[in-house]
Amino acid sequence: MPKAAQNLKAEISKSSPAPLLPADSEGSALSIRLKQYFKPQDIELVFEGYRYADKAHEGVVRKTGEPYITHPVSVACILADLHMDVPTILAALLHDVVEDTSITTLDIKEKFGLQVAELVDGVTKLDKIEFQSASEAQAENFRKMLLAMSMDVRVILVKLADRLHNMQTLEAMKPEKQKLIAKETLDIYAPIANRLGLNSVYQALEDLSFQYLHPMRYSAISKAVMAARGNRKEVISKVLESIQHQLKVFHVEAEVTGREKHLYSIYRKMTRQATPFSQVYDIYGFRVIVKDLPSCYLALGALHGLYKPIPSKFKDYIAIPKANGYQSLHTTLLGPFGTPIEVQIRSAEMHNIADAGVAAHWLYKSSDAQLTVLQQQTHQWLQRLLDIQNESSDSLDFLEHLKIDLFPDEVYVFTPKGTILALPKRATAVDFAYAVHSDIGNSCVAVRINHELAPLRTELKNGDHVEIITGSLAKPNPAWLNYVVTGRARAHIRHFLKSQRSSEAAQIGERLLNQALRALHVDPKQISDENWLKLIRDYGVITKSEILSEIGLGKRQNVMVAHQLVATTDGHLEKHTKLPAKALDTITVRGTEGMAVMFAPCCHPIPGDPILGFINKDKGLVIHTHDCPSVRKFKLDPDKWLDVEWEPESTRLFKTNLNLTVANQPGMLAKIASGIADAGSNIDSVSVEEADGSAYANLYFTVQVKNRVHLADLMRGLRKIPDVVRINRTKGNTGTKAATTKVNLQ
């Protein structure tokens, strides 16, 4: 049993047992807590829930050897310390009955009401559903719990209390199970507690996880902290007395207490800064709690007059609160003997919120504006979870986005209207755009940071003024996924790209299917809706578009789908209008199909080149030149490739490679770049092969041209430049021949 529970048991043993509860310590502990803020009728309702849970778990014991009912009661005690409401306490008592007994959510609804049933259902795991892997099952559990939380935050409060008590009694589990649960707690549950402002729960979860993940390190740091506490006792006492005296001189009413940094926080700082314990000076700090907001700044001035502040170690979380609602002044002072002293200054209300976080809504029923802001911030974060859920196709994606969204460190930036947005560290302008609105993110083309144009990948810093420039025809770029850090941005970009790719693949798939149908002498327009519906049912998909998309991506053979479509229930084709015998259609490539059509980087085809199409699974239709070495092995298998041709009026630019041999003279690169620009072409990249003292140098360009005619004009123009010895178009990646890094000239 945890030490806190043992102390509580000793205290309660002196009093009489609570009515309607057994005389065990946990039941009595809950009774004492509830009497502090519940009405008698509410307590009676909780006792009814207790008896119901006790009967459901009758005869069951935990791995610790205690009756199972001690666990839900302990969870209820943790929530009672936060002064949670009746439905939450009932949900804590009943949170395991649906999972572990024959009682259903409907039974709880009939007995205790819809609200309690929904809370219990949100916490209940999905153990009875089969998943492909343990990671997928766990991800789906998180997904379900967090979606329930987005509707009612009390779900996660119950789950956090449940996890906290499980961690407090984790010694009964096997070592490998201990590490698994501890890592999960450290990765997901502790960050969520931090994100919701539940500071005491957050620190307890981190320390307990640290204890089981790194027991030797935990023990060493714990002993070092105990020793440091004794060694610094005289200094701490002197500083405490000095602070109290200084505040009295300035007529500031305050409660001054010592504060130890929790163990995992010390370990994290030592690891991050590669600092030995002897150089971690802020393991012991001071907390000054005053009556109101003006007193915070008055106390700050008083303490800065007492000890010299370290300029770079001051943070005003009152003016700009953390995203979880935390408010406080943080300052580090140079104390006696040159020892840095960390001091936190906050009002009583701020202190309550710092400990209880979002639970302060139930703990302190008031109209205080800060509580309202905290609730709004929490609601916005929960709405972002819903957005991520809507954009994520599976549970593992959702869990990945959630982890990204739980960054503890933040930067604060300003919108053009002066609104403050909190973003994770290393967030970029694209993250900012999606934080404002998904439509802004999807259509952003440029950004002004502090009124100056900057690249979209620019990382934002505290205090930046950010203005997003949008375009009506703009759309997300796949390259954004390389540098965005927020789950919201990543989910929206992936969803857009996936939707676009599916749509483009469906168009390609329809053309391929129509080609196969005509080869069977069947008019595609004559395929009945009944045949499509039957095929959709047989394939287990939802829409016709999904089948077409799978054909376009190479996941299904167009010929097989065509045969299944034209076959009626009796196996005859007479009902369909037959077409005269006709060769397979040639598919026209416009060059604007997007991600569903890929131009092979091995040969860089451009309009005018004879081309072949190759259906590659998951890549869609890949276009090669007819003489590309990569497709020679597929020409023997006609099912692997199909005839394609260029649309006559293509407007886009295509990449191709040029190799130039030139005289090794100053200014040659500039002359060639000017010649390429004069021909109306863009330079995508350029590299230079080291001359090694030779009179000639090789230049490798990747340029953008409209077609072969445009390329021919470009090459003729470059040949006219003096000292250009040779020029030819090359296939493949020219960068492998160059000894220098490619230089982007755009």
Side-chain angles (χ1 to χ4, degrees):
M1 183 180 293
K3 186 175 180 181
Q6 292 174 349
N7 295 339
L8 192 58
K9 181 175 180 179
E11 177 185 337
I12 294 169
S13 63
K14 301 174 185 177
S15 60
S16 58
L20 301 176
L21 281 177
D24 65 272
S25 63
E26 298 293 345
S28 299
L30 178 59
S31 177
I32 289 175
R33 286 167 167 81
L34 296 181
K35 286 179 180 179
Q36 294 176 7
Y37 70 105
F38 269 3
K39 297 176 182 178
Q41 59 267 33
D42 293 335
I43 295 177
E44 172 55 34
L45 183 57
V46 172
F47 290 167
E48 188 175 347
Y50 169 85
R51 290 190 292 269
Y52 192 85
D54 189 30
K55 184 176 181 181
H57 294 298
E58 189 175 8
V60 182
V61 296
R62 303 190 77 213
K63 290 187 179 295
T64 58
E66 300 170 305
Y68 194 88
I69 190 61
T70 59
H71 168 63
V73 171
S74 297
V75 174
C77 285
I78 294 170
L79 293 168
D81 284 336
L82 295 174
H83 286 208
M84 295 304 298
D85 57 6
V86 174
T88 311
I89 301 298
L90 282 170
L93 290 169
L94 301 167
H95 76 273
D96 278 333
V97 297
V98 173
E99 182 181 339
D100 297 339
T101 73
S102 59
I103 294 173
T104 65
T105 307
L106 184 60
D107 296 331
I108 294 177
K109 178 183 175 182
E110 292 175 352
K111 182 74 175 177
F112 299 101
L114 177 62
Q115 194 175 167
V116 176
E118 288 179 342
L119 290 174
V120 171
D121 184 58
V123 180
T124 302
K125 293 179 182 176
L126 305 180
D127 290 347
K128 296 179 182 178
I129 300 178
E130 293 184 4
F131 296 97
Q132 293 181 358
S133 66
S135 59
E136 183 184 345
Q138 189 63 351
E140 185 61 29
N141 287 334
F142 284 126
R143 183 189 184 110
K144 178 174 184 283
M145 178 187 68
L146 289 164
L147 290 181
M149 173 184 112
S150 65
M151 304 300 179
D152 192 332
V153 74
R154 291 174 294 181
V155 170
I156 196 63
L157 297 180
V158 175
K159 188 61 184 176
L160 287 171
D162 173 50
R163 178 52 60 109
L164 178 56
H165 185 252
N166 282 334
M167 289 299 297
Q168 290 170 339
T169 55
L170 197 59
E171 71 275 1
M173 306 294 287
K174 294 181 179 178
E176 59 271 18
K177 189 72 171 177
Q178 289 176 348
K179 289 187 179 296
L180 190 66
I181 294 173
K183 188 175 189 311
E184 178 185 88
T185 301
L186 196 61
D187 287 346
I188 296 292
Y189 289 104
I192 289 176
N194 182 39
R195 189 62 183 72
L196 295 178
L198 297 162
N199 196 49
S200 55
V201 175
Y202 160 63
Q203 292 183 356
L205 289 175
E206 281 202 333
D207 279 353
L208 287 164
S209 300
F210 179 37
Q211 179 181 351
Y212 287 102
L213 285 173
H214 305 289
M216 299 296 291
R217 300 174 196 180
Y218 175 88
S219 177
I221 293 178
S222 180
K223 290 177 182 177
V225 168
M226 292 288 289
R229 187 187 304 162
N231 296 337
R232 301 176 190 179
K233 188 174 182 180
E234 185 178 343
V235 176
I236 292 168
S237 300
K238 181 178 179 180
V239 172
L240 187 62
E241 290 173 5
S242 300
I243 290 175
Q244 289 172 334
H245 179 264
Q246 183 78 348
L247 292 175
K248 286 180 181 178
V249 170
F250 279 75
H251 306 290
V252 178
E253 296 180 15
E255 177 188 346
V256 185
T257 57
R259 177 194 60 83
E260 273 188 9
K261 188 184 286 284
H262 67 289
L263 299 183
Y264 185 71
S265 177
I266 297 172
Y267 171 71
R268 188 167 51 215
K269 183 169 185 177
M270 291 170 61
T271 305
R272 186 172 59 241
Q273 300 181 2
T275 304
F277 180 82
S278 59
Q279 294 181 22
V280 180
Y281 296 107
D282 59 346
I283 63 165
Y284 202 87
F286 299 89
R287 183 171 291 140
V288 178
I289 301 175
V290 297
K291 61 180 181 179
D292 53 26
L293 189 148
S295 299
C296 293
Y297 291 96
L298 184 57
L300 179 70
L303 296 183
H304 282 185
L306 175 64
Y307 298 119
K308 296 298 180 185
I310 300 175
S312 61
K313 297 291 186 179
F314 171 71
K315 292 180 181 177
D316 189 343
Y317 290 121
I318 293 180
I320 304 179
K322 289 187 177 182
N324 60 14
Y326 176 87
Q327 284 189 299
S328 188
L329 296 176
H330 289 199
T331 185
T332 302
L333 311 172
L334 207 58
F337 314 111
T339 305
I341 302 166
E342 188 183 79
V343 182
Q344 297 175 352
I345 306 169
R346 62 180 72 146
S347 68
E349 290 77 14
M350 295 172 193
H351 182 62
N352 294 335
I353 293 170
D355 272 352
V358 72
H361 171 60
W362 289 274
L363 183 52
Y364 302 98
K365 308 287 186 183
S366 78
S367 58
D368 184 88
Q370 179 53 39
L371 288 181
T372 303
V373 170
L374 173 58
Q375 293 166 38
Q376 290 174 350
Q377 290 171 334
T378 303
H379 177 72
Q380 290 168 1
W381 181 61
L382 296 178
Q383 285 302 117
R384 289 205 301 272
L385 285 182
L386 277 181
D387 289 344
I388 292 173
Q389 139 70 14
N390 292 334
E391 309 301 341
S392 300
S393 59
D394 60 50
S395 303
L396 293 174
D397 267 356
F398 180 64
L399 184 56
E400 177 194 345
H401 299 323
L402 172 67
K403 287 182 178 180
I404 292 171
D405 206 46
L406 288 174
F407 274 73
D409 298 324
E410 289 149 343
V411 294
Y412 299 91
V413 296
F414 294 90
T415 69
K417 294 182 178 179
T419 304
I420 298 173
L421 281 184
L423 294 168
K425 277 191 175 178
R426 298 179 58 249
T428 64
V430 177
D431 292 297
F432 174 89
Y434 279 103
V436 175
H437 196 280
S438 58
D439 291 342
I440 301 294
N442 286 338
S443 59
C444 67
V445 293
V447 62
R448 285 192 182 94
I449 300 177
N450 301 323
H451 309 290
E452 293 184 2
L453 284 172
L456 285 172
R457 68 183 306 143
T458 304
E459 291 186 8
L460 303 178
K461 301 186 293 295
N462 272 322
D464 280 346
H465 180 279
V466 188
E467 179 186 357
I468 297 296
I469 302 169
T470 60
S472 57
L473 300 179
K475 56 186 179 181
N477 187 330
W480 292 354
L481 291 171
N482 295 328
Y483 51 80
V484 295
V485 299
T486 58
R488 176 183 174 87
R490 191 173 293 274
H492 276 293
I493 294 167
R494 282 185 175 176
H495 176 72
F496 181 91
L497 296 177
K498 191 175 292 184
S499 299
Q500 184 187 43
R501 187 185 187 202
S502 295
S503 174
E504 293 166 352
Q507 295 176 19
I508 297 292
E510 185 172 20
R511 287 151 70 185
L512 290 171
L513 179 61
N514 290 346
Q515 180 191 68
L517 287 170
R518 290 192 179 98
L520 295 173
H521 319 304
V522 175
D523 187 345
K525 295 179 181 178
Q526 299 301 316
I527 299 296
S528 67
D529 292 340
E530 289 77 8
N531 283 85
W532 270 114
L533 289 173
K534 183 178 185 303
L535 193 66
I536 288 170
R537 286 194 300 269
D538 291 345
Y539 284 173
V541 296
I542 300 174
T543 63
K544 169 184 173 181
S545 180
E546 288 184 58
I547 298 176
L548 296 177
S549 179
E550 289 179 349
I551 295 173
L553 292 173
K555 295 179 179 179
R556 293 189 187 275
Q557 289 290 331
N558 58 338
V559 176
M560 295 297 296
V561 176
H563 275 289
Q564 288 178 278
L565 271 176
V566 299
T568 58
T569 52
D570 57 0
H572 297 290
L573 303 175
E574 284 76 13
K575 292 184 181 180
H576 295 279
T577 303
K578 291 194 174 183
L579 299 176
K582 183 180 177 182
L584 290 178
D585 290 348
T586 299
I587 292 180
T588 302
V589 176
R590 297 186 297 273
T592 57
E593 289 86 352
M595 291 178 292
V597 174
M598 175 181 174
F599 296 96
C602 53
C603 54
H604 282 304
I606 62 175
D609 288 338
I611 52 175
L612 289 172
F614 171 66
I615 294 292
N616 185 302
K617 186 177 181 181
D618 295 330
K619 289 185 179 179
L621 181 59
V622 182
I623 306 299
H624 294 264
T625 58
H626 77 293
D627 58 348
C628 177
S630 300
V631 298
R632 287 174 186 166
K633 56 185 176 182
F634 299 120
K635 282 190 175 183
L636 299 175
D637 185 357
D639 291 336
K640 294 286 186 180
W641 58 271
L642 38 99
D643 287 326
V644 289
E645 65 181 18
W646 297 104
E647 187 178 67
E649 301 297 330
S650 178
T651 57
R652 67 161 279 183
L653 295 175
F654 298 81
K655 294 180 183 179
T656 191
N657 295 325
L658 292 178
N659 178 14
L660 286 79
T661 302
V662 300
N664 189 13
Q665 295 180 0
M668 281 303 300
L669 184 60
K671 291 178 184 178
I672 295 169
S674 177
I676 292 173
D678 291 342
S681 177
N682 294 329
I683 298 176
D684 187 72
S685 63
V686 59
S687 57
V688 183
E689 187 174 316
E690 291 182 352
D692 294 330
S694 171
Y696 299 98
N698 288 325
L699 307 181
Y700 301 95
F701 285 88
T702 299
V703 296
Q704 297 177 345
V705 295
K706 296 177 183 177
N707 47 44
R708 280 173 66 116
V709 174
H710 187 193
L711 176 62
D713 292 340
L714 169 63
M715 294 174 71
R716 274 195 298 270
L718 294 178
R719 286 193 181 99
K720 294 177 182 178
I721 298 175
D723 299 317
V724 172
V725 179
R726 185 173 63 245
I727 178 172
N728 60 283
R729 179 185 175 189
T730 59
K731 304 288 181 69
N733 185 2
T734 60
T736 57
K737 298 180 182 179
T740 59
T741 305
K742 287 187 177 182
V743 181
N744 194 339
L745 300 184
Q746 295 193 88

